[in-house]
Amino acid sequence: MSDTKYTYAVARIRALELSLFSAATIEQLLACKSYEAALQFLEERGWGDGETRGDLEAMLSREEEKTWETIRELKVDMRLFDVLSYPHLFHNLKAAVKEFCTGESQAQLYYEDCALGREELLTILQDKDYSALPESMWEPAREACETLLRTRDGQLCDVIIDRGALLAIRQAGRQAEDAILKNYAESTVAVADIRIAVRCQKTGKSLDFVKNALAPCDTLDMQRLALAAVSGLEAICQYLQDAGYGEAAEAIKESSSAFERWCDNRIVHTIQPEKYHPFSIGPLVAYVLARENEIKTVRIILTGRLNGLAEEAIRERVREMYV
């Protein structure tokens, strides 16, 4: 797409950015004293549609659909957004592998807004026609199936497919021409690796397990991170400080909620410079990620209200906004 066409698409996105939730809007949502009041607040701002009234999950799913409908309307090359679909795509593969290998239905676990759905994936796995999958999924699909059938270890199956997703994201980032896709891929893999290290430390995983779970990235040393993960939380924090991820270390020390918030905020910080790039795909990608972050934050707030969490506990989980 030419710069002129990107300029038109970006101009449309700039107008839509005005409807994104700001920190002030999130404060208004937090001020709603009940789940019902918060749901009404969202509906009054156009969230969902007539068929989702009163149903939070249906409303949030509809908002995700609206985001992609908007991008498709801009007539851009949708292949540029493939890397953003990998988390859902590999999640569907994980559900299909478990359903195929165990015979237990996982129908409720699939994402519907995906290039590969339940029936297609199950057919591919039954026929062992792995070449019908995107190339980045061939080996994870084969290895996960063989491993689950042999060991019945669902966690090991998850590790294989999750790592496959990270490798696919990294490869897509390396092949991308646009800086935002490169930066998004690096941040996504690095954040995932830090999450893995922390979780492995807390659950006492072995060094081999950690090494097999981590995916290579440019800003972290896998060997040092794996060794830190089996040495203790302090060792992880020290390594992160040394590697330039000091904010992650501080968040880990603060609380689990603070750490999860940092993980998502890191992605927001990665995309914020795209506000100033009018001649590339960057602002469009940033808009999609900003909407995902916005929807996640709304889910956190309303789920907290529904479960009777104190406002302080909800606030600790709230993510930063793009605008």
Side-chain angles (χ1 to χ4, degrees), residues 195-210:
R195 269 194 174 116
I196 290 166
V198 170
R199 290 173 183 172
C200 285
Q201 188 281 320
K202 291 184 176 180
T203 53
K205 299 300 183 184
S206 68
L207 181 60
D208 283 345
F209 184 97
V210 181

Side-chain angles (χ1 to χ4, degrees), residues 36-303:
E36 291 75 18
L39 204 58
Q40 183 179 353
F41 176 91
L42 295 170
E43 290 172 347
E44 289 173 352
R45 280 154 182 77
W47 278 51
D49 56 29
E51 297 181 0
T52 66
R53 189 168 300 278
D55 186 333
L56 175 62
E57 287 305 319
M59 174 191 288
L60 299 184
S61 293
R62 182 66 190 116
E63 289 304 303
E64 291 174 352
E65 291 170 359
K66 287 180 186 179
T67 301
W68 287 108
E69 287 169 5
T70 296
I71 297 299
R72 283 190 287 270
E73 287 171 3
L74 297 175
K75 305 300 182 183
V76 296
D77 184 352
M78 294 303 295
R79 290 174 298 180
L80 294 170
F81 296 87
D82 282 351
V83 66
L84 305 187
S85 71
Y86 287 165
H88 285 190
L89 190 60
F90 278 82
H91 172 91
N92 278 7
L93 175 62
K94 190 187 301 183
V97 167
K98 289 184 176 179
E99 183 165 357
F100 169 66
C101 293
T102 67
E104 299 175 3
S105 176
Q106 306 281 323
Q108 75 283 3
L109 299 181
Y110 291 83
Y111 286 108
E112 296 181 2
D113 58 337
C114 240
L116 292 171
R118 177 174 180 255
E119 297 303 323
E120 189 172 2
L121 283 168
L122 288 174
T123 298
I124 289 170
L125 296 179
Q126 287 164 1
D127 296 342
K128 295 186 178 180
D129 185 17
Y130 302 123
S131 63
L133 296 167
E135 187 173 354
S136 61
M137 300 178 78
W138 294 356
E139 185 58 23
R142 182 198 62 76
E143 185 180 356
C145 276
E146 292 178 359
T147 299
L148 190 55
L149 287 170
R150 185 179 71 254
T151 68
R152 316 306 290 182
D153 188 336
Q155 186 180 55
L156 187 54
C157 170
D158 289 348
V159 166
I160 293 167
I161 295 176
D162 288 343
R163 187 175 188 273
L166 295 177
L167 292 174
I169 290 170
R170 183 179 191 237
Q171 182 64 20
R174 289 190 155 193
Q175 293 175 345
E177 296 181 1
D178 296 280
I180 187 173
L181 295 174
K182 293 180 181 293
N183 294 337
Y184 164 77
E186 176 62 27
S187 289
T188 297
V189 177
V191 166
D193 279 335
I194 295 170
R195 269 194 174 116
I196 290 166
V198 170
R199 290 173 183 172
C200 285
Q201 188 281 320
K202 291 184 176 180
T203 53
K205 299 300 183 184
S206 68
L207 181 60
D208 283 345
F209 184 97
V210 181
K211 286 181 176 180
N212 288 332
L214 295 174
C217 68
D218 295 334
T219 54
L220 293 169
D221 182 318
M222 295 300 100
Q223 179 68 16
R224 290 187 61 189
L225 183 58
L227 288 171
V230 297
S231 300
L233 211 55
E234 278 298 321
I236 293 176
C237 291
Q238 184 58 60
Y239 170 67
L240 293 177
Q241 289 281 1
D242 296 343
Y245 286 92
E247 290 183 357
E250 293 305 314
I252 291 169
K253 293 175 183 178
E254 182 180 341
S255 68
S256 295
S257 295
F259 172 59
E260 289 299 321
R261 185 178 68 239
W262 173 85
C263 290
D264 289 335
N265 288 347
R266 174 80 181 192
I267 303 300
V268 173
H269 295 164
T270 297
I271 65 175
Q272 281 178 333
E274 298 308 315
K275 295 176 185 178
Y276 314 106
H277 295 165
F279 303 117
S280 74
I281 196 71
L284 282 65
V285 174
Y287 177 77
V288 173
L289 294 172
R291 283 286 282 153
E292 288 181 355
N293 180 66
E294 180 181 73
I295 291 166
K296 177 181 284 189
T297 300
V298 167
R299 177 180 278 110
I300 288 169
I301 294 172
L302 267 76
T303 301

